[in-house]
Amino acid sequence: MKTNQLIPLLILALMTTINVISQDLQKEPKFYNWFDDNVVRYNTSLFNGLEYIELFRTINERHKFFDSSEFQFGSIVYDYQFYNQVPLKYDLNTDDILFNVGYNYDYPTLILHKSKIESFQINKSNFIQINTIGDNVEMNGFYQVLLKKLPLKLLKKNKKKHFKRIKGNTVYYEFDYDNSYYVEYHEKFYPIGSKGDVIRMLPEKKDYINEYFNSALKKADEDNFWISFFEKLAVTFNTQNEE
């Protein structure tokens, strides 16, 4: 083969190899070296947590995390500082926030100190930390803000409980939801699980609640039901104020 024919073939092979390598790199999750890429740009207080050790083996999609068992980019207010585009997971079994530091570190996944977390966001879902004891409720940990429409704030406590399973010689765990809902009204928190709970919180709205509370819709999609119900209920307060 002539030299002038060989050179173009070598260049083509080299370009093909570079393209394959580039595609493989693009498949790697961007958060693997998140800390390496951001340590200069951010204060290192986020790199302050406990080593995470997985205690429960799972073999299906009934995992213990919020939304996904994979790390997702989110944001967090940690130790009074805001961090954006952080790889996070929310463990609903222990109510812990996991931070992916990267595989270059001895502990690639850390449990962030709960006392340092003010709020965080994962996949457009917003969470705040609440620790309070009232006359009718005790709230501790992270709560998802489903609706904020004065004078009401609808909150959801996402939680999963675990069950041990045995299949042949394999021991594994599955997790089921055990969620609960709360409403903040006039700086007090009220547990919400039924029509009666809403009436006890807002007895002056009893007629409206009896008319628009739909148990079938609540059973079909509890999140959307509560959001829609309290959004419309909040409007009645605003209308009353205008009058």
Side-chain angles (χ1 to χ4, degrees):
M1 181 178 292
K2 295 181 179 180
T3 303
N4 60 352
Q5 294 177 324
L6 180 61
I7 292 176
L9 292 175
L10 290 174
I11 293 175
L12 178 61
L14 179 60
M15 292 178 64
T16 302
T17 302
I18 293 174
N19 184 50
V20 171
I21 293 174
S22 176
Q23 291 177 355
D24 288 340
L25 289 175
Q26 290 174 4
K27 293 177 183 178
E28 293 294 324
K30 295 179 181 179
F31 52 72
Y32 274 163
N33 283 316
W34 183 92
F35 193 73
D36 287 336
D37 295 337
N38 292 275
V39 65
V40 176
R41 189 152 54 98
Y42 291 121
N43 187 288
T44 57
S45 63
L46 189 61
F47 193 66
N48 181 9
L50 304 174
E51 178 187 7
Y52 173 72
I53 299 175
E54 182 55 71
L55 301 177
F56 300 103
R57 179 187 182 187
T58 57
I59 62 174
N60 53 38
E61 291 302 312
R62 296 176 65 179
H63 55 77
K64 62 180 180 176
F65 298 101
F66 174 80
D67 194 49
S68 173
S69 60
E70 303 295 329
F71 280 96
Q72 301 179 82
F73 282 114
S75 61
I76 188 169
V77 178
Y78 190 70
D79 200 17
Y80 304 105
Q81 297 191 51
F82 175 77
Y83 299 89
N84 196 24
Q85 290 296 296
V86 183
L88 301 172
K89 280 200 294 188
Y90 179 17
D91 186 334
L92 300 183
N93 184 242
T94 59
D95 204 34
D96 285 322
I97 306 303
L98 309 184
F99 166 46
N100 183 280
V101 181
Y103 59 81
N104 288 335
Y105 296 86
D106 293 336
Y107 309 134
T109 301
L110 294 179
I111 303 174
L112 296 179
H113 293 295
K114 192 176 299 184
S115 61
K116 295 178 179 289
I117 301 173
E118 179 181 332
S119 60
F120 64 94
Q121 182 186 76
I122 295 179
N123 196 21
K124 298 183 179 180
S125 296
N126 296 298
F127 298 83
I128 57 176
Q129 182 167 183
I130 300 174
N131 294 289
T132 184
I133 299 177
D135 296 334
N136 58 337
V137 66
E138 179 177 348
M139 300 179 67
N140 292 288
F142 303 116
Y143 293 81
Q144 183 180 359
V145 181
L146 295 181
L147 176 69
K148 189 175 182 181
K149 192 174 181 67
L150 294 176
L152 306 171
K153 182 188 292 184
L154 174 63
L155 304 167
K156 178 183 179 182
K157 181 60 180 177
N158 292 272
K159 187 177 180 180
K160 288 185 178 181
K161 51 187 178 181
H162 64 270
F163 298 91
K164 185 177 181 180
R165 309 297 191 197
I166 300 177
K167 186 176 182 180
N169 295 325
T170 302
V171 177
Y172 65 99
Y173 292 84
E174 292 183 340
F175 293 81
D176 286 340
Y177 285 101
D178 188 23
N179 302 326
S180 51
Y181 298 83
Y182 301 84
V183 169
E184 182 181 0
Y185 176 59
H186 287 173
E187 299 183 351
K188 290 185 178 181
F189 296 96
Y190 299 85
I192 299 296
S194 66
K195 181 172 70 173
D197 292 333
V198 185
I199 292 175
R200 278 187 288 274
M201 181 182 69
L202 299 168
E204 71 276 14
K205 299 289 184 179
K206 182 177 180 180
D207 291 341
Y208 179 93
I209 296 168
N210 282 328
E211 182 176 358
Y212 291 100
F213 194 96
N214 190 314
S215 298
L217 292 178
K218 175 179 175 292
K219 186 176 181 180
D221 190 336
E222 194 162 9
D223 276 14
N224 285 332
F225 166 77
W226 285 125
I227 292 172
S228 177
F229 179 80
F230 281 109
E231 186 172 30
K232 294 175 182 177
L233 183 58
V235 172
T236 66
F237 286 94
N238 298 329
T239 303
Q240 187 177 23
N241 291 335
E242 291 175 1
E243 294 175 350

